[in-house]
Amino acid sequence: MNDIIEQLQEMSEAVPVPLELATFEQIVEVEEEILIPLPMELKEYLLYASDVICGSLEPVTASDPNSHTYLSEVAAYAWSIGLPREFVPICQQGDNFFFIGQEGQIQLWQDGEIDEEESWESFWEWAEDVWMRS
């Protein structure tokens, strides 16, 4: 995990208005808004790497409720178009979502279905295989 966070930080692009890392309180607030506990690796990402901007993908954030990547809003939309409620979206691509289950496995939901062929054992594996290469 730490190696991947370091790689992400090295790859992060400088932008005029940088993202901020989420605080523990903001993560608790998001959990209260969506009524689901966040898996540990998602919390780790939000606390230590959610300020990274790299590649073409924009994973969810928890520090700015007005952001288009704010986890509560992304989740509300994903669930409204059919993503099963027990899953938490981690990244939106149009109407497709990478999501995390409570055990930490990442999968892709696209065209209204879970893609059984696309799966990663952890958030950090997904970050390395998908996000960093986007």
Side-chain angles (χ1 to χ4, degrees), residues 6-13 52-54 132-133:
E6 285 179 28
Q7 290 175 27
L8 284 167
Q9 289 170 341
E10 289 172 11
M11 294 174 67
S12 188
E13 301 171 22
V52 169
I53 296 175
C54 76
M132 290 170 63
R133 296 178 184 182

Side-chain angles (χ1 to χ4, degrees), residues 1-15 19 48-57 59 124-134:
M1 170 190 90
N2 291 333
D3 290 345
I4 295 172
I5 291 173
E6 285 179 28
Q7 290 175 27
L8 284 167
Q9 289 170 341
E10 289 172 11
M11 294 174 67
S12 188
E13 301 171 22
V15 294
L19 297 172
Y48 304 115
S50 62
D51 61 341
V52 169
I53 296 175
C54 76
S56 62
L57 296 178
W124 302 111
E125 182 182 311
W126 172 84
E128 190 172 32
D129 291 351
V130 180
W131 181 20
M132 290 170 63
R133 296 178 184 182
S134 68

